[in-house]
Amino acid sequence: MNLTMIGAGYVGLVSGACFADFGWRVTCVDRDADRIAALEAGEIPIYEPGLDALVARTASQDLLRFTTDMAATVAAADVIFLAVGTPSRRGDGHADLSFIFDAVRELASHLEGFTVLVVKSTVPVGTGDRIEEILRETAPDADVAVVSNPEFLREGAAIEDFKRPDRVVIGVECPRAREVMQRIYRPLSLNQAPIFMTDRKSSELIKYASNAFLAMKITFINEMANLCEKVGADIQEVARGIGADGRIGSKFLHAGPGYGGSCFPKDTLALVKTAQDNEAPSRLIETVVAVNTDRQRAMVRKVIEACGGSVLNRTVSVLGLTFKPNTDDMRDSPAIPLIVALQDAGARCRVYDPEGMENAREVIDDVTYCDSALECLDGGDVMVLVTEWDAFRGISPDAIKARLTAPVVVDLRNVFRPDEMRARGFTYISVGRP
């Protein structure tokens, strides 16, 4: 079978490479000629552990190709995956589906024979119905079935998630398309991955509901961290205690500066808007969105308080810029509002991240970009740890103290031990710990 991936971004590239590794012939199509040229030259435009080797191997076997030629690729495809962006629409928070609909209109006239059109992108309930309407308007004679197949890839572990998933969700109502999707994912049966076949609207909602629930767990533990700080409890002990309950689980119970990234912020907001539009408002998710926004402001106050109530003319050394480790993704990273607010309060910021520096330069101005974590600490009045990269865990407190002008550390990921830091003379502030 010939598979076409519309969009060679994060989801499209990872999914395409993994499908190619299953033995399918995959072509990734993207309008960005520079991106395609880079991929053809073996340059990976995103950081994802193991992806460069996987792309190189499948491309060398002629199983994975890259092109800007939509027409020829669509005409030869048995299955087309839509993997284009659905960012928050400016002004109202709804998912911006313009890229999806533009791609459907462009590919419609090139369809040949029976084709399965699979929506990989995260889209609101009912998007599949709208795609069918567009296809009827632009290509009424096309023999095409629209399927929902949301992705559940964690940045930093995407290849493992694709090949050994918790589940594969497929929303399909056409028997022929159902058979095609079962065939595509048959290699996963070796790993006994559960494949959930459901209706298309349920599949679309599963993706949003999953992300909203995880965002809610993060927000819950952050609120408990606030309470721990007031009463003298330890949030890590609390999280360990409640996470041992099998009904709750330990994942996503790590207190920090709030959720960010390419999914949770836009997906929670889009779900809120969808629920409101359908007169079934989700008060719980509305609160999650509001609390997470407040959380970012609270982290700024934590830094300012650690500096005695003012950061005016102070130098703040920020370690970690990406929204999580093992990615170069800066989208909605908690580091961005933190740095901007500190600058507004008069601080000078030195910053470092192992993988996110290039992307950070596009969204963060007027900071000093450093070449290493230790260089970032040089001359700093306070160190703020925002992203829990493994490289930061290995920095010794003595090295930190030797570089800073004052032994002040604000650890927003609870990487260091409070007793050890205080024993070495630090003013040490963490999250949800006495």
Side-chain angles (χ1 to χ4, degrees):
M1 266 193 307
N2 292 320
L3 277 56
T4 291
M5 197 69 60
I6 307 295
Y10 186 85
V11 173
L13 186 55
V14 171
S15 301
C18 288
F19 275 130
D21 207 32
F22 289 165
W24 303 121
R25 294 183 299 274
V26 180
T27 303
C28 291
V29 184
D30 201 287
R31 291 178 175 176
D32 189 335
D34 291 338
R35 175 179 288 256
I36 292 299
L39 287 167
E40 288 180 322
E43 300 172 10
I44 308 301
I46 58 175
Y47 175 75
E48 177 63 35
L51 183 59
D52 52 352
L54 181 60
V55 169
R57 183 174 70 252
T58 52
S60 68
Q61 297 169 343
D62 203 29
L63 292 171
L64 182 62
R65 298 179 179 181
F66 306 100
T67 183
T68 58
D69 189 347
M70 171 83 81
T73 306
V74 167
D78 300 298
V79 184
I80 301 170
F81 288 86
L82 289 171
V84 300
T86 55
S88 290
R89 192 167 65 195
R90 184 172 297 179
D92 62 9
H94 281 283
D96 184 352
L97 301 179
S98 60
F99 302 107
I100 288 274
F101 296 152
D102 287 348
V104 172
R105 292 186 182 97
E106 184 176 355
L107 67 84
S109 61
H110 305 301
L111 295 169
E112 293 185 9
F114 177 64
T115 308
V116 179
L117 181 58
V118 185
V119 182
K120 257 303 184 190
S121 305
T122 301
V123 296
V125 177
T127 300
D129 293 350
R130 178 57 186 144
I131 290 174
E132 284 187 337
E133 292 175 3
I134 293 173
L135 289 170
R136 286 195 296 269
E137 294 166 359
T138 56
D141 296 327
D143 189 9
V144 57
V146 179
V147 173
S148 169
N149 176 215
E151 54 85 16
F152 298 96
L153 305 178
R154 295 171 298 159
E155 294 189 37
I159 295 173
E160 181 71 11
D161 284 349
F162 193 98
K163 294 186 174 183
R164 294 171 180 80
D166 295 325
R167 79 288 200 200
V168 176
V169 177
I170 300 172
V172 57
E173 287 150 17
C174 167
R176 286 191 295 170
R178 182 188 182 101
E179 292 177 4
V180 170
M181 297 303 293
Q182 287 175 326
R183 183 183 173 193
I184 287 174
Y185 280 107
R186 188 165 294 139
L188 291 181
S189 64
L190 297 175
N191 299 326
Q192 298 182 329
I195 297 179
F196 295 146
M197 293 286 185
T198 183
D199 64 277
R200 197 165 57 210
K201 288 183 177 179
S202 295
S203 175
E204 291 168 339
L205 186 54
I206 285 170
K207 170 65 175 183
Y208 275 110
S210 296
N211 280 353
F213 189 85
L214 295 175
M216 183 174 64
K217 286 188 73 174
I218 294 170
T219 304
F220 173 82
I221 204 65
N222 282 337
E223 290 209 312
M224 290 300 100
N226 290 341
L227 181 57
C228 284
E229 291 177 4
K230 297 295 184 181
V231 302
D234 188 328
I235 190 59
Q236 291 185 304
E237 296 299 320
V238 172
R240 189 177 298 115
I242 64 177
D245 188 326
R247 298 168 300 175
I248 298 173
S250 60
K251 294 182 178 180
F252 289 85
L253 290 180
H254 303 287
Y259 60 77
S262 61
C263 294
F264 289 178
K266 75 178 183 67
D267 291 353
T268 50
L269 191 56
L271 183 57
V272 165
K273 296 300 183 181
T274 298
Q276 291 173 346
D277 288 350
N278 286 275
E279 298 182 349
S282 176
R283 302 302 186 204
L284 194 57
I285 307 305
E286 289 175 8
T287 301
V288 166
V289 173
V291 170
N292 193 66
T293 301
D294 291 341
R295 183 71 179 170
Q296 295 171 347
R297 301 190 188 102
M299 296 302 99
V300 177
R301 292 194 295 271
K302 189 179 286 286
V303 175
I304 292 175
E305 289 169 5
C307 293
S310 174
V311 291
L312 181 64
N313 296 323
R314 298 287 189 92
T315 298
V316 180
S317 298
V318 178
L319 295 186
L321 300 174
T322 55
F323 83 96
K324 62 180 289 188
N326 297 322
T327 181
D328 60 355
D329 198 338
M330 285 295 302
R331 285 175 288 183
D332 281 304
S333 170
I336 300 172
L338 175 76
I339 290 171
V340 170
L342 289 173
Q343 289 175 325
D344 289 343
R348 298 180 296 267
C349 293
R350 298 171 61 83
V351 302
Y352 173 72
D353 188 278
E355 293 293 339
M357 301 286 271
E358 184 176 347
N359 289 337
R361 285 185 169 91
E362 298 179 5
V363 293
I364 301 176
D365 298 321
D366 300 323
V367 300
T368 300
Y369 286 96
C370 302
D371 293 328
S372 69
L374 293 180
E375 180 188 333
C376 182
L377 298 179
D378 283 338
D381 296 301
V382 56
M383 180 190 102
V384 182
L385 195 151
V386 182
T387 314
E388 67 278 29
W389 285 90
D390 286 343
F392 299 156
R393 297 177 184 274
I395 303 176
S396 72
D398 289 340
I400 296 172
K401 196 171 184 179
R403 300 274 181 159
L404 294 176
T405 61
V408 182
V409 170
V410 179
D411 182 359
L412 301 184
R413 297 292 184 174
N414 292 348
V415 165
F416 300 101
R417 291 177 51 183
D419 55 349
E420 180 180 352
M421 296 298 284
R422 294 192 180 108
R424 295 181 183 234
F426 281 91
T427 296
Y428 177 73
I429 309 297
S430 57
V431 177
R433 298 191 293 185

